[in-house]
């Protein structure tokens, strides 16, 4: 009997732990969702009372209707598909090149001396201003858009991975050399993990830049993609479509950022992911 | 396995101009000897060890470390000032780093590392990262890493500098015990005169920057040594006074210089 009671108490304890965990995550979600809900409710009320222009600020209920419609007829998915392809394609191409070049520049002083003036000259140029030039070189097709997004993703990755290598305490290079590490081993065991926290914040900046440039180039050219959807809605003054596109972009950005944060915390257990989160 | 240093000098080129870290330094350490180096901060002690470890080139002079013929062990291993454990590796990978670099198999590395970790009372922490350990544990891990490499010469740069008195005493005893069982040539940098006296066969005293050798004294204490209640109080006190007298003005002037 005694024994059984103990067991059931233990189960109770475990159950209450689960309950507490669920309650905690509910509270977290509520903290995020409540202000948004409040915002939309106020908007709905103000809009229904016609206190603000229905054309500029259509009621959230109407935006929802539009969202539902574009989801059902497949147009949103089609726009989203094009945007994601450009976003991720450019992110991976530009990010990978930026990462390799950044790590190499951080590690090899001669390469840094060679490339630093070039980076310093090109980095401050707003990336979207390069679009016409890119169009001349790569034509009006898909390539130009992906090249633009790659350029946007390239610089934050380059700067962050280079800074990541440079802030590694020199003592770790000494330790590796003292224990007979080869250049390749130093790269894998010191350069790469030592700069990882900074690389990961570079990944996030890079991703955000890729999203930004994707929308900009889509607004300028073409009929497909979330940027094009925004621009088209403005040209036809269908503001509910405009808001539907904005909401989609916001959700995509949030999801991508959260995923990267999660990955970062997994990859850098020694860093408490502090520098990555900020 | 001895060390022979001849007229070694080091001048650093930095943005603020040249810094002479080490003036001409010459000394010899015989095989299996425990030699300490004391001197004011910035006098080039770490620089000297880094030259001997092959990490930087001297500006002038030369050195030789005799190696036992035909062995595959590393010539030297350094215990770095501030430990130098990789924050991104757990203890197992940190301590097994040298073996891994030499291409040992993972199973072999694991069994050897677990062996040395248990000698240092750390086997339960093999999966921990450095930031999850106390300062004393990190220091022990740094020692374990160097001992596992089983080098001919151990270069130790203020290995116990950052520890509380009790941990330090424990690790000093540990070091002497292991050294007694497996004799190596040790060059041991410290700013603690008493530590130098209690551990070493000889103490090299250096001047302020640029570091020169101002004295090289024998420590005629019997071994094995009792660090907690040393028998030869008087001798120890005498040596302490003598060394402090030589160092005092050097330390003072190097402090004034850095102000
Ligand atoms: N890489 C470097 N470039 C330029 N100057 C250096 C470099 N390394 C050391 N120095 C200078 O050389 C001098 C000696 O440095 P070192 O680290 O050898 O001193 P130390 O005796 O170990 O001091 P401490 O007891 O504080 O550890 C210092 O003035 C230091 O600033
Ligand atoms: Mg030093």
């Amino acid at each position: 009997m005694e024994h059984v009671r103990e067991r059931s108490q233990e189960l109770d304890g475990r159950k209450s732990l689960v309950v507490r965990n669920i309650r905690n995550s509910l509270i977290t979600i509520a903290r995020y969702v409540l202000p948004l809900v409040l915002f939309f409710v106020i908007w709905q009320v103000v809009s229904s009372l016609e206190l603000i222009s229905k054309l500029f600020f259509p009621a959230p209920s109407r935006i929802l209707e539009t969202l539902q419609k574009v989801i059902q007829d497949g147009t949103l998915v089609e726009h989203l598909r094009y945007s994601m392809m450009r976003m991720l394609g450019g992110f991976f191409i530009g990010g990978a090149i930026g990462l390799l070049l950044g790590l190499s520049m951080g590690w090899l002083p001669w390469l840094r001396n060679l490339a630093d003036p070039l980076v310093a000259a090109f980095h401050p140029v707003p990336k979207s201003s390069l679009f016409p030039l890119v169009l001349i070189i790569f034509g009006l097709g898909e390539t130009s858009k992906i090249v633009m997004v790659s350029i946007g993703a390239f610089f934050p990755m380059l700067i962050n991975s280079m800074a990541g290598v440079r802030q590694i305490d020199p003592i770790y290079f000494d330790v590796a050399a003292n224990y007979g590490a080869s250049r390749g081993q130093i790269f894998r065991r010191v350069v790469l993990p030592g700069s990882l926290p900074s690389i990961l914040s570079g990944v996030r900046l890079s991703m955000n830049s890729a999203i930004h440039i994707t929308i900009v180039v889509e607004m300028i050219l073409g009929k497909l993609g979330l940027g094009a959807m925004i621009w088209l809605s403005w040209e036809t003054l269908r503001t509910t479509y405009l808001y539907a596109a904005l909401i989609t972009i916001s959700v995509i950005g949030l999801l991508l950022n959260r995923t990267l944060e999660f990955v970062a915390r997994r990859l850098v257990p020694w860093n408490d992911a502090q520098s990555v989160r900020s | 396995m001895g060390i022979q240093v001849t007229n070694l000098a080091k001048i650093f080129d930095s943005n603020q101009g040249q810094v002479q870290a080490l003036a001409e330094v010459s000394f010899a350490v015989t095989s299996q000897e425990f030699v300490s180096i004391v001197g004011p901060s910035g006098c080039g002690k770490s620089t000297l060890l880094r030259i001997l470890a092959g990490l930087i080139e001297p500006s002038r002079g030369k050195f030789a470390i005799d190696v036992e013929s035909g062995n595959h062990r590393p010539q030297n291993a350094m215990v770095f000032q501030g430990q130098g454990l990789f924050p991104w590796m757990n203890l197992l990978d940190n301590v097994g780093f040298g073996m891994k670099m030499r291409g040992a198999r993972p199973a072999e590395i694991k069994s050897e590392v677990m062996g040395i970790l248990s000698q240092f009372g750390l086997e339960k922490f093999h999966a921990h990262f450095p930031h999850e350990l106390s300062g004393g544990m990190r220091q022990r891990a740094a020692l374990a890493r160097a001992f596992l490499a089983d080098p001919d010469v151990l270069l130790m740069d203020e290995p116990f500098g950052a520890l509380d008195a009790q941990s330090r005493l424990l690790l000093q005893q540990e070091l002497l015990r292991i050294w007694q069982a497996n004799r190596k040539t040790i060059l041991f940098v410290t700013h603690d005169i008493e530590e130098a006296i209690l551990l070493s066969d000889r103490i090299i005293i250096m001047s302020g920057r640029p570091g020169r050798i101002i004295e090289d004294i024998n420590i005629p204490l019997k071994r094995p040594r009792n660090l907690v209640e040393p028998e030869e109080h008087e001798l120890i006190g005498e040596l302490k006074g003598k060394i402090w007298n030589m160092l005092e003005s050097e330390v003072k002037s190097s402090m004034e210089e850095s102000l």
Side-chain angles (χ1 to χ4, degrees), chain B residues 4-73:
Chain B
Q4 181 74 48
V5 174
T6 321
N7 299 329
L8 217 55
K10 179 71 187 177
I11 298 164
F12 285 109
D13 283 314
S14 72
N15 294 338
Q16 288 84 39
Q18 293 192 325
V19 181
Q20 173 141 27
L22 213 53
E24 313 253 315
V25 171
S26 302
F27 63 91
V29 179
T30 56
S31 179
Q32 306 191 345
E33 201 175 11
F34 194 133
V35 175
S36 286
I37 300 177
V38 296
S41 183
C43 76
K45 305 180 295 292
S46 298
T47 303
L48 175 60
L49 289 201
R50 278 156 51 83
I51 292 172
L52 297 180
L55 296 171
I56 50 173
E57 292 286 324
S59 306
R60 280 197 304 279
K62 56 185 199 289
F63 68 94
I65 298 180
D66 310 328
V67 184
E68 281 177 1
S69 58
N71 71 31
H72 299 286
R73 297 179 298 137

Side-chain angles (χ1 to χ4, degrees), chain A residues 172 174 178-179 189 193 270, chain B residues 50 76 78 85 87-88 145:
Chain A
Y172 301 123
D174 279 355
N178 191 226
Y179 285 97
R189 311 273 165 208
W270 65 89
Chain B
R50 278 156 51 83
N76 72 76
M78 185 147 166
L85 294 177
W88 47 85
R145 177 167 70 183

Side-chain angles (χ1 to χ4, degrees), chain B residues 64-136:
Chain B
I65 298 180
D66 310 328
V67 184
E68 281 177 1
S69 58
N71 71 31
H72 299 286
R73 297 179 298 137
Q75 178 209 54
N76 72 76
M78 185 147 166
V79 178
F80 289 84
Q81 189 169 6
Q83 304 146 7
L85 294 177
F86 299 112
W88 47 85
M89 293 182 196
N90 63 24
L91 273 200
L92 187 63
D93 293 338
N94 255 305
V95 175
F97 184 76
M99 287 185 77
K100 182 155 202 152
M101 293 305 104
R102 273 178 283 129
R105 284 176 297 108
E108 193 187 338
I109 297 176
K110 175 142 194 194
S111 79
E112 296 256 331
V113 172
M114 291 311 281
I116 196 95
L117 282 182
S118 72
Q119 267 194 53
F120 282 89
L122 288 169
E123 70 275 28
K124 280 204 208 97
F125 299 94
H126 66 275
H128 283 58
F129 285 92
H131 77 268
E132 298 168 325
L133 304 173
S134 72

Side-chain angles (χ1 to χ4, degrees), chain B residues 4 13 43 47-48 59 64 88 103-104 118 129 146-147 176 183 205 217 225 229 232 235 241 259:
Chain B
Q4 181 74 48
D13 283 314
C43 76
T47 303
L48 175 60
S59 306
W88 47 85
S118 72
F129 285 92
F147 275 102
L176 278 192
R183 284 285 188 126
I205 299 164
I217 48 179
R225 292 183 187 167
E229 289 180 318
E232 299 121 307
L235 181 54
L259 283 180

Side-chain angles (χ1 to χ4, degrees), chain A residues 27 30 43 58 72 77 116 140 146 148 158 185 219 228 257:
Chain A
I27 290 173
W43 183 354
Q72 272 162 3
V77 177
D116 228 7
L140 294 175
I146 295 190
M148 280 302 292
L158 175 88
Q185 285 168 326
M219 288 203 293
N257 273 305

